[in-house]
């Protein structure tokens, strides 16, 4: 994630105060590197610190840091911060690491402009020898929390939460009765949808439902609905439908339709009517006692049930063609994804994951992919690990987690012009 362009930085406390907002949490036992573009902050990278016995300057670690930062091709400088539990011992333990990074980053054209140690109670400049500027054991960490930039970030709506490994993956507690009813609906929808998994008409209806939801106004509260939520969960159980939803959120409907049709997954001879949970005025109660349900067919759908405007993102053509699934899922196309659509999808998937049904692994994997696209590897790893706990061997989660583990950076996150900004263009990161 890149930094905003309109923040006022007056000193180190402001820079250090921005880091938890950029990451979403206060790091611990971490090396944080921030690229610089002239006098502007660029991308933020967090890595686990190497073991103390290997911190003198492990070559593979130094090259890994350089490799990650090389993704910011316009960077001309770097700021480093070592977050550790004790600033008293930090210099002796990690001084060699910073000394080893300096020539590596200088050679890469990103010289280290400054560095700091941040402990639980105190922080100090890593290169500062002035006792008046950096008295022993350092300055109070509260200065960072009270910095003007931290206050500005809070004013903009940013908050610093717990570290990913301490977060609950459930969006919020759900009534047991609703969860049980939604899981019953999911099972019924799965029985109805399974024979239609190769139906092109059903695929398009599934996209209709998801497209409608992706166009929801930002900040609109999620109202649980048994039939709808059961349908959404059941749709995620079909791999090519699941992938199409991810692609559509980032690159638009045309990309979702064109990409999946290229896999020859559909049976033109399949005559089953497509079904949908969308409200149809005048239609009888569905199988679950509400409007819609598995008895609602695509032929009954009319304009009034489309609650929101259609998802409007048009895919960016690559050599005159709509981007394929691989290019979208790796963040190579379109040039800039529809972050708004992906943000909405992330919120929906969080609600579906909280139901803890069969589709939990798919919903958590989708959240992991979105976090990876945002450049938030720690969050991605948490969601993907939870997906594998929900369903061991879930293939898509394994593939994305392997990318995260190798330190691979999503194409969008690697480019400043396309990287996710928490508060939107021109606002905060």
């Amino acid at each position: 994630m890149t930094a905003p362009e309109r923040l006022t930085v007056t000193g180190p406390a402001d820079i250090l105060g921005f880091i938890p907002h950029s990451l979403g949490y206060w790091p611990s036992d971490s090396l944080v590197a921030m690229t610089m573009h002239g006098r502007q902050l660029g991308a933020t990278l967090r890595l686990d610190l190497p073991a103390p016995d290997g911190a003198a300057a492990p070559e593979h670690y130094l090259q890994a840091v350089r490799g990650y930062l090389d993704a910011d091709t316009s960077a001309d400088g770097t700021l480093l911060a070592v977050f550790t539990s004790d600033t008293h011992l930090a210099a002796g333990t990690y001084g060699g690491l910073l000394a080893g990074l300096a020539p590596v980053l200088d050679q890469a054209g990103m010289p280290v402009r400054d560095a700091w140690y941040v402990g639980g109670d105190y922080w100090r400049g890593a290169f500062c020898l002035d006792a008046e500027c950096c008295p022993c054991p350092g300055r109070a960490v509260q200065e960072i929390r009270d910095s003007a930039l931290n206050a500005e970030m809070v004013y903009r709506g940013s908050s610093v939460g717990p570290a990913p490994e301490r977060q609950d993956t459930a969006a919020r507690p759900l009534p047991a009765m609703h969860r049980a009813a939604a899981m019953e609906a999911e099972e019924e929808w799965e029985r109805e949808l399974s024979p239609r998994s190769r139906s092109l008409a059903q695929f398009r209806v599934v996209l209709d439902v998801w497209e409608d939801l992706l166009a929801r106004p930002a900040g609109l509260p999620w109202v649980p609905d048994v039939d709808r939520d059961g349908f959404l969960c059941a749709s995620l159980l079909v791999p090519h439908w699941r992938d199409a939803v991810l692609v559509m959120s980032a690159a638009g409907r045309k990309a979702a339709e064109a990409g999946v049709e290229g896999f020859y997954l559909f049976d033109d001879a399949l005559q089953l009517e497509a079904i949908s949970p969308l409200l149809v005025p005048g239609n009888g109660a569905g199988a679950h006692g509400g409007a819609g349900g598995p008895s609602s067919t695509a032929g009954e759908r009319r304009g009034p049930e489309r609650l929101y405007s259609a998802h409007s993102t048009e895919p960016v053509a690559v050599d005159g063609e709509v981007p394929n699934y691989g290019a979208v899922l790796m963040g190579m196309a379109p040039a800039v994804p529809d972050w708004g659509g992906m943000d909405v999808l992330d919120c929906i998937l969080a609600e579906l994951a909280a139901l803890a049904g069969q589709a939990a692994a798919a919903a958590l994997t989708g959240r992991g992919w979105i976090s990876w696209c945002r450049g938030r590897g720690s969050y991605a790893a948490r969601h993907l690990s939870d997906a594998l706990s929900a369903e061991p061997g879930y293939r898509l989660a394994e593939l994305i987690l392997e990318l995260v583990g190798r330190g691979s950076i999503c194409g969008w996150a690697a480019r400043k012009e396309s990287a996710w900004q928490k508060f939107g263009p021109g606002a905060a990161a």
Side-chain angles (χ1 to χ4, degrees):
M1 184 176 64
T2 59
E5 299 181 358
R6 297 174 183 157
L7 289 177
T8 302
V9 176
T10 60
D14 285 327
I15 295 172
L16 296 174
F18 173 71
I19 288 174
H21 289 279
S22 179
L23 297 175
Y25 59 95
W26 191 280
S28 61
D29 298 319
S30 302
L31 171 70
V32 176
M34 301 183 70
T35 58
M36 297 288 291
H37 303 163
R39 296 178 60 84
Q40 291 185 342
L41 298 176
T44 304
L45 167 73
R46 189 212 68 85
L47 289 172
D48 291 338
L49 285 169
D53 58 357
E59 187 61 27
H60 70 280
Y61 188 91
L62 303 181
Q63 292 304 321
V65 174
R66 172 179 174 167
Y68 297 143
L69 297 180
D70 273 341
D72 190 348
T73 56
S74 58
D76 57 14
T78 312
L79 300 172
L80 303 175
V82 173
F83 284 79
T84 182
S85 57
D86 193 343
T87 53
H88 291 276
L89 303 176
T93 305
Y94 297 108
L97 175 64
L98 295 182
L101 275 171
V104 170
L105 296 178
D106 187 66
Q107 184 180 26
M110 298 177 284
V112 178
R113 298 189 185 177
D114 212 338
W116 303 273
Y117 298 117
V118 183
D121 299 311
Y122 300 98
W123 67 276
R124 60 177 293 117
F127 306 142
C128 181
L129 302 177
D130 186 345
E132 183 175 344
C133 174
C134 299
C136 188
R139 295 184 173 275
V141 165
Q142 193 61 39
E143 288 186 9
I144 299 173
R145 303 184 190 277
D146 293 340
S147 67
L149 188 143
N150 181 65
E152 182 177 349
M153 293 299 292
V154 172
Y155 175 77
R156 293 187 183 206
S158 179
S159 60
V160 178
E165 64 273 13
R166 297 179 181 176
Q167 290 188 348
D168 187 354
T169 53
R172 55 183 171 76
L174 290 175
M177 291 184 63
H178 171 72
R179 179 181 285 110
M183 292 305 92
E184 182 180 351
E186 177 189 324
E187 292 175 3
E188 186 166 349
W189 277 114
E190 183 187 8
R191 285 194 296 270
E192 295 284 345
L193 291 173
S194 181
R196 296 168 167 83
S197 63
R198 299 182 61 198
S199 163
L200 180 58
Q202 184 61 60
F203 170 67
R204 287 171 174 163
V205 168
V206 168
L207 291 189
D208 283 344
V209 176
W210 280 99
E211 184 180 38
D212 212 38
L213 292 172
L214 292 177
R216 298 171 77 244
L220 187 69
W222 179 262
V223 179
D225 179 277
V226 168
D227 264 343
R228 180 205 60 203
D229 296 352
F231 177 91
L232 295 177
C233 288
S235 72
L236 293 176
L237 297 177
V238 180
H240 57 278
W241 293 355
R242 173 205 63 199
D243 295 348
V245 170
L246 299 181
V247 168
M248 183 168 66
S249 74
R253 178 153 182 164
K254 289 182 180 178
E257 290 188 335
V260 78
E261 289 179 18
F263 294 130
Y264 305 104
L265 295 168
F266 301 113
D267 183 355
D268 293 335
L270 201 60
Q271 298 299 315
L272 293 172
E273 287 186 298
I275 54 177
S276 166
L278 294 181
L279 175 63
V280 180
N283 186 44
H288 306 298
S295 63
S296 301
T297 67
E300 295 170 317
R301 299 181 71 253
R302 295 293 185 268
E305 82 279 3
R306 298 302 296 272
L307 302 179
Y308 313 110
S309 59
H311 193 56
S312 59
T313 299
E314 291 294 328
V316 176
V318 179
D319 296 330
E321 299 181 357
V322 173
N324 61 42
Y325 273 32
V328 176
L329 294 176
M330 293 298 293
M332 305 310 297
V336 179
D338 179 9
W339 287 118
M342 295 172 74
D343 291 346
V344 171
L345 178 60
D346 186 49
C347 293
I348 296 172
L349 294 177
E351 297 287 348
L352 300 183
L355 294 172
Q358 296 181 72
L364 289 164
T365 299
R367 298 200 72 197
W369 175 72
I370 293 170
S371 293
W372 179 67
C373 291
R374 291 171 172 171
R376 291 188 147 188
S378 298
Y379 287 92
R382 171 62 196 273
H383 292 312
L384 296 167
S385 296
D386 287 344
L388 292 171
S389 294
E391 185 176 330
Y394 194 73
R395 189 58 182 148
L396 184 59
E398 289 181 332
L399 292 172
I400 303 174
L401 189 58
E402 183 179 350
L403 290 174
V404 174
R406 293 204 312 257
S408 298
I409 299 175
C410 174
W412 295 318
R415 303 188 298 273
K416 181 177 175 63
E417 64 275 10
S418 62
W420 178 65
Q421 294 188 10
K422 188 175 179 181
F423 296 96

